[in-house]
Amino acid sequence: VWNRVLAWLASHGLRILLIVIVSVVALRLLRFLVRRVPHWIQGSEGVEPSDLAQRVKTLQTAIRGTGALIILVVAGLMVLRELGLDITPLLTSMGLVGLALSLGAQTLVKDIIGGLFILIEDQFDIGDSIRVGNLSGTVERMTLRATHIRAFGGELHIIPNGEIRTVSNLTRAWSRAVVEVPLSPDEDVARAMEVLEEIGRELAADPQFSSILLEPPVVSGIEALDGWTVRLRIAAKTSPGQHWGVMRVLRRRINDRFQREGIRLGFRPGDVLTKL
């Protein structure tokens, strides 16, 4: 009996021990890779540390859980085989269960894979303003399955990550405030451009806005002629997400200054009919 036991330990026992050792090493390697996740993720400018920490935590949880599950399942099956158990029915049942799950959870898997790529590639972060299809708003929450976007009107859009094919990030690194100014066709364009340039210089010198303007406002000149108006454009490069406030201030200052200077804004007849 003891000879048989020793023979079994010398063969199967050593293999089981080797399986356990390899599994422990694999789990430690997995833990090392999980700790390296923050070094793989490059945080964009203006991202709050708490947002970056949440993205890192989500990735670490997904990698740790999935990797540990695969390692333990494979090691467990190998140990059962060394113990002399027939694992063929178990593999068959697992295959059937896996097939059923794959057919029933294809959308979930697609969403999770999409969420992983969004996090790894740092396509957007919590607090960014993005546009996905015809939906736009501020990213309020991110999970591996879905992205939560709060629209300007307060609506909360929950978009599965697998459905995000094209995303426009409106606040990545910097933003641009663009204001188009429609002039009456008989106005002096050169004079109107001079006034716009003065408004831009005044805004750049204003301490309230100088810190968020990355470049002074630039008047690009005539952008369009539609028969009813002559459209000028003034644009300014701003810190991420600050362009809306800058555009509102520019519009107000342009309106007030043009009224004082007697510069008439243009309009199309259809605009007046719409307002009436």
Side-chain angles (χ1 to χ4, degrees):
V1 177
W2 287 107
N3 290 334
R4 284 192 302 231
V5 171
L6 291 175
W8 186 89
L9 290 176
S11 58
H12 298 285
L14 287 177
R15 290 184 192 142
I16 292 175
L17 180 61
L18 181 61
I19 293 171
V20 172
I21 293 174
V22 171
S23 301
V24 172
V25 172
L27 289 173
R28 289 186 177 274
L29 179 60
L30 177 65
R31 186 180 304 174
F32 170 77
L33 293 176
V34 168
R35 287 201 299 265
R36 297 291 299 175
V37 168
H39 299 281
W40 299 337
I41 298 180
Q42 300 269 343
S44 59
E45 297 180 6
V47 179
E48 295 293 332
S50 59
D51 299 340
L52 183 59
Q54 180 176 356
R55 186 166 73 241
V56 169
K57 183 179 179 180
T58 303
L59 266 179
Q60 287 177 326
T61 302
I63 295 174
R64 185 188 299 113
T66 305
L69 178 62
I70 293 174
I71 293 171
L72 293 176
V73 169
V74 172
L77 292 175
M78 294 177 69
V79 170
L80 290 176
R81 187 179 63 179
E82 293 300 327
L83 291 174
L85 299 177
D86 185 9
I87 62 173
T88 303
L90 182 59
L91 291 175
T92 303
S93 62
M94 289 181 62
L96 293 175
V97 171
L99 178 61
L101 289 176
S102 63
L103 292 176
Q106 288 182 4
T107 302
L108 178 61
V109 172
K110 183 175 68 172
D111 294 340
I112 292 176
I113 293 175
L116 282 172
F117 277 108
I118 289 173
L119 292 170
I120 293 173
E121 296 176 356
D122 191 20
Q123 297 177 12
F124 51 81
D125 299 298
I126 294 176
D128 281 351
S129 294
I130 65 173
R131 181 169 57 247
V132 180
N134 60 349
L135 300 176
S136 61
T138 303
V139 179
E140 197 170 81
R141 186 183 175 210
M142 294 171 58
T143 66
L144 285 179
R145 196 195 69 82
T147 297
H148 299 233
I149 301 177
R150 180 73 65 176
F152 181 75
E155 304 91 344
L156 180 63
H157 303 297
I158 302 176
I159 307 175
N161 292 326
E163 301 298 324
I164 299 178
R165 289 289 177 264
T166 303
V167 57
S168 301
N169 194 324
L170 307 180
T171 53
R172 175 52 54 90
W174 55 272
S175 301
R176 191 182 299 280
V178 179
V179 176
E180 290 196 353
V181 184
L183 292 179
S184 177
D186 55 355
E187 281 295 336
D188 188 342
V189 175
R191 178 166 169 262
M193 290 180 60
E194 290 178 2
V195 174
L196 285 177
E197 290 172 352
E198 289 179 10
I199 294 173
R201 288 193 294 268
E202 292 172 358
L203 186 68
D206 191 333
Q208 183 179 355
F209 298 97
S210 58
S211 59
I212 63 176
L213 289 176
L214 303 182
E215 294 178 359
V218 176
V219 179
S220 57
I222 299 176
E223 292 294 333
L225 296 170
D226 57 15
W228 300 98
T229 62
V230 177
R231 293 186 176 271
L232 305 181
R233 177 178 295 172
I234 181 171
K237 192 174 181 180
T238 73
S239 300
Q242 301 296 326
H243 56 298
W244 289 294
V246 172
M247 285 191 292
R248 285 192 290 268
V249 172
L250 279 174
R251 292 190 189 102
R252 176 172 56 81
R253 294 192 177 191
I254 291 170
N255 183 68
D256 295 344
R257 184 69 177 273
F258 275 26
Q259 286 186 1
R260 291 198 304 268
E261 298 287 340
I263 301 175
R264 292 177 299 165
L265 296 175
F267 59 88
R268 290 174 294 181
D271 297 336
V272 177
L273 293 176
T274 300
K275 292 181 180 178
L276 292 177

